[in-house]
């Protein structure tokens, strides 16, 4: 093996190979699963200021074993074909793990969003969407984008509007061409927080495993665990917020582009998010100290390290410094495959991206289903359940001779709203998938880490689809 650092795609492929040997699947089949099925590389001009700029962009559909394909669109100056291919492949395995019936895809536009005005970003997004429409690389039954690093619901609304301008008149399900949309534009409540919330559910489930915690010298349960977060974007901020508020986790350090801050007694995440929103930086947050070297987030002793930014953050050159007991991959591909070897040797447990950050695509799936059904979740049954619960309370009151206050009754009887159902579906998915991976790890003695167990779980499902579909002659 050369000493050259593996590319992101090579790193994913190596992890794949490491797992494939445990599946017993024929080589031809694993080769087919591994390959990217379609790669669309494009260049298009966009009017910027008084001139034009040629924009480089991609959409990769990794696997067509299920339709549509699904995956976010990233806006970043680091976008390249290798990165988008790696991310598309991860989407295939991610969807399989959480039983979301899509193939994997990913898009990337090589722009730094901070360097453009909103009007310029809108032109770039709309033009990119037109390129996808032209090549039939977008549509509710074809390929469904979503937000990723550097994009959010604003961009998804532009994609929807552009798609509907061209196709809306003839396609009744056109709203399902993209997910992560604003709620008033056919989005779903609970999508924005979904990846971070899924990260919390996944970590909570893992920390509830008594034997696993014992091996690490930790007490069971997520409550009181210390956490370091790298990246306070959408995923990192919601993962931190929910871990603190619902799990009782103590977040002792946060790293961002501007620097790293720390407080051993815990940083209050809602206040920190508000502080960054008003000042544009995490530095100077009350009761925090700023690390001299911002890169030292990696060296902080903690129970859980949460890389929630970009890929390849923990590499061969810095993996030795990690002092965390658990790494939760909230980002996609934050650990390179050679760094992983070092971390596993040190006894650090890695909860892999393809499972841990799958909450986003899970709720995207719910949004897509909502779009196809043209109705909000809960609309049909909320009142019915509420009335039934009220009847039940009245019966109990009659039988016991005791009464509840009107407020208590309303609270107990309340029927589920859309956001309640989304959270419940997400929790069920993350818990269920955790045990699928955990069972693979426990039953297969030769598998010793969660990533390989997750890969094997995913590969068997994708392989099963290919085998039952057969190969079109
Ligand atoms: N970009 C997110 C991911 O990496 C979400 C993808 C989606 O919702 O389709 O999982």
């Amino acid at each position: 093996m050369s000493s050259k650092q593996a590319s992101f795609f090579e790193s994913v492929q190596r992890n794949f190979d490491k797992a494939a040997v445990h599946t017993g699947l024929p080589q031809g089949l694993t080769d087919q699963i591994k390959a990217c099925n379609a790669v669309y590389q494009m260049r298009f001009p966009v009017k910027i200021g008084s001139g034009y700029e040629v924009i480089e962009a991609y959409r990769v559909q990794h696997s067509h074993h299920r339709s549509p394909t699904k995956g976010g669109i990233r806006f970043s100056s680091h976008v390249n074909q290798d990165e988008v291919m790696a991310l598309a492949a991860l989407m295939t395995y991610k969807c399989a793990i959480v039983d979301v019936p899509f193939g994997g895809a990913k898009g990337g536009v090589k722009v730094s969003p901070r360097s453009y005005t909103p009007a310029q970003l809108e032109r770039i997004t709309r033009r990119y969407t037109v390129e996808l429409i032209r090549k039939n690389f977008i549509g509710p039954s074809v390929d469904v984008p979503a937000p990723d690093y550097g994009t959010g619901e604003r961009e998804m609304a532009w994609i929807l509007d552009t798609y509907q301008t061209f196709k809306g008149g003839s396609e009744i399900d056109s709203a399902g061409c993209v997910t992560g949309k604003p709620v008033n534009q056919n989005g779903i409540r609970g999508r924005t927080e979904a990846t971070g919330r899924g990260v919390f559910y996944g970590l909570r489930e893992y920390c509830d495993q008594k034997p696993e915690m014992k091996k690490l010298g930790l007490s069971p349960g997520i409550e009181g665990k210390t956490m370091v977060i790298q990246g306070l974007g959408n995923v990192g901020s919601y993962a931190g917020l929910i871990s603190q508020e619902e799990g009782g986790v103590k977040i002792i350090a946060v790293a961002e582009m501007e620097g790293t801050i720390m407080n051993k007694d815990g940083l209050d995440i809602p206040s920190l998010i508000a502080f960054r929103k008003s000042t544009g930086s995490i530095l100077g947050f009350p009761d925090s100290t700023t690390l001299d070297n911002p890169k030292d987030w990696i060296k902080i002793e903690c129970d859980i390290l949460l890389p929630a930014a970009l890929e390849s953050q923990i590499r061969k050159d810095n993996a030795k410094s990690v002092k965390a007991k658990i790494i939760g991959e909230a980002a996609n591909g934050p650990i390179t495959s050679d760094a992983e070897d070092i971390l596993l040797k040190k006894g650090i447990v890695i909860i892999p991206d393809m499972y841990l950050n799958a909450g986003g695509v899970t709720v995207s799936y719910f949004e897509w289903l909502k779009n196809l059904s043209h109705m909000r979740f809960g609309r049909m049954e909320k009142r019915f359940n509420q009335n039934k619960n009220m009847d039940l309370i009245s019966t109990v009151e009659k039988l016991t001779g005791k009464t509840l206050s009107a407020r208590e009754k309303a609270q107990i009887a309340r029927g589920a709203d859309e956001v309640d159902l989304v959270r419940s579906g997400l929790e069920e998915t993350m818990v269920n998938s955790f045990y699928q991976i955990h069972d693979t790890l426990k039953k297969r003695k030769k598998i010793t880490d969660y990533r390989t167990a997750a890969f094997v779980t995913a590969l068997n499902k994708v392989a099963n689809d290919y085998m039952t579909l057969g190969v079109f002659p």
Side-chain angles (χ1 to χ4, degrees), residues 227-247:
M227 183 185 271
V228 171
I229 302 178
Q230 186 225 4
L232 207 58
N234 178 269
V235 180
S237 52
Y238 277 109
L241 197 73
I242 298 166
S243 296
Q244 181 188 315
E245 290 185 341
E246 295 181 28

Side-chain angles (χ1 to χ4, degrees), residues 129-400:
T129 310
V130 171
E131 296 297 325
L132 296 179
I133 296 169
R134 276 184 174 166
K135 290 278 190 293
N136 198 26
F137 260 64
I138 183 171
S141 60
V142 180
D143 188 354
V144 183
D148 196 79
Y149 188 84
T151 58
E153 57 178 38
R154 178 183 69 173
E155 287 73 17
M156 302 308 116
W158 292 331
I159 293 175
L160 173 71
D161 186 56
T162 310
Y163 187 83
Q164 290 190 322
T165 303
F166 287 85
K167 305 271 196 174
S170 56
E171 285 184 13
I172 193 163
D173 291 328
S174 60
C177 72
V178 62
T179 60
K181 303 178 290 288
V183 174
N184 69 346
Q185 290 295 330
N186 288 290
I188 196 166
R189 288 160 190 84
R191 174 62 184 86
T192 313
E193 63 167 28
T195 312
R197 179 168 285 281
V199 167
F200 165 66
Y201 289 142
L203 289 173
R204 185 195 65 188
E205 230 36 50
Y206 169 66
C207 290
D208 277 345
Q209 307 306 309
K210 284 188 189 138
E212 307 306 315
M213 290 300 107
K214 206 173 161 198
K215 274 189 234 162
L216 296 176
L218 296 171
S219 55
I222 197 160
E223 198 177 342
K225 296 270 179 295
T226 54
M227 183 185 271
V228 171
I229 302 178
Q230 186 225 4
L232 207 58
N234 178 269
V235 180
S237 52
Y238 277 109
L241 197 73
I242 298 166
S243 296
Q244 181 188 315
E245 290 185 341
E246 295 181 28
V249 170
K250 203 196 307 179
I251 291 115
I252 57 166
V254 170
E256 249 302 335
M257 278 186 283
E258 59 270 20
T260 300
I261 59 163
M262 197 172 165
N263 179 346
K264 278 211 160 80
D265 297 324
L267 298 159
D268 183 54
I269 299 300
S271 320
L272 179 60
I273 294 168
F275 181 84
R276 189 169 194 239
K277 211 173 169 188
S278 67
T279 67
S281 167
I282 58 170
L283 304 184
F285 182 62
D287 296 326
S288 72
T289 48
T290 301
L291 265 53
D292 291 339
N293 183 352
K295 290 183 182 160
D296 282 352
W297 56 268
I298 202 158
K299 297 184 179 165
I300 301 171
E301 211 164 305
C302 61
D303 298 325
I304 306 168
L305 174 60
L306 206 70
L310 283 170
E311 64 268 17
S312 310
Q313 299 300 300
I314 306 179
R315 299 172 304 270
K316 206 175 171 179
D317 56 292
N318 62 6
K320 281 187 216 80
S321 313
V322 176
K323 290 197 191 71
K325 296 193 163 142
I326 304 159
I327 304 181
E329 290 191 315
N332 287 310
I335 302 174
T336 63
S337 65
D338 36 16
E340 176 141 346
D341 297 340
I342 300 170
L343 298 168
L344 294 177
K345 266 194 206 121
K346 278 165 69 102
I348 296 169
V349 173
I350 300 165
I351 308 296
D353 48 4
M354 69 178 74
Y355 161 66
L356 199 64
N357 72 30
V361 76
T362 301
V363 177
S364 274
Y365 171 47
F366 301 157
E367 179 175 333
W368 181 76
L369 291 174
K370 174 185 182 180
N371 296 153
L372 299 196
S373 69
H374 299 260
M375 190 165 57
R376 162 172 60 81
F377 287 109
R379 182 167 172 180
M380 298 296 274
E381 66 274 33
K382 178 178 164 148
R383 291 285 152 181
F384 179 81
N385 289 340
Q386 206 155 300
N387 294 339
K388 278 279 155 211
N389 292 343
M390 276 296 191
D391 288 348
L392 204 66
I393 294 170
S394 304
T395 311
V396 173
E397 281 182 333
K398 249 184 234 154
L399 291 173
T400 60

Side-chain angles (χ1 to χ4, degrees), residues 103-147:
K106 201 78 169 200
V109 181
K110 194 176 165 71
V111 290
S112 167
R114 284 163 183 251
S115 318
Y116 296 91
T117 63
Q120 290 167 342
L121 284 172
E122 181 174 350
R123 279 205 293 280
I124 294 169
T125 309
R126 286 184 183 276
R127 180 61 201 255
Y128 175 69
T129 310
V130 171
E131 296 297 325
L132 296 179
I133 296 169
R134 276 184 174 166
K135 290 278 190 293
N136 198 26
F137 260 64
I138 183 171
S141 60
V142 180
D143 188 354
V144 183

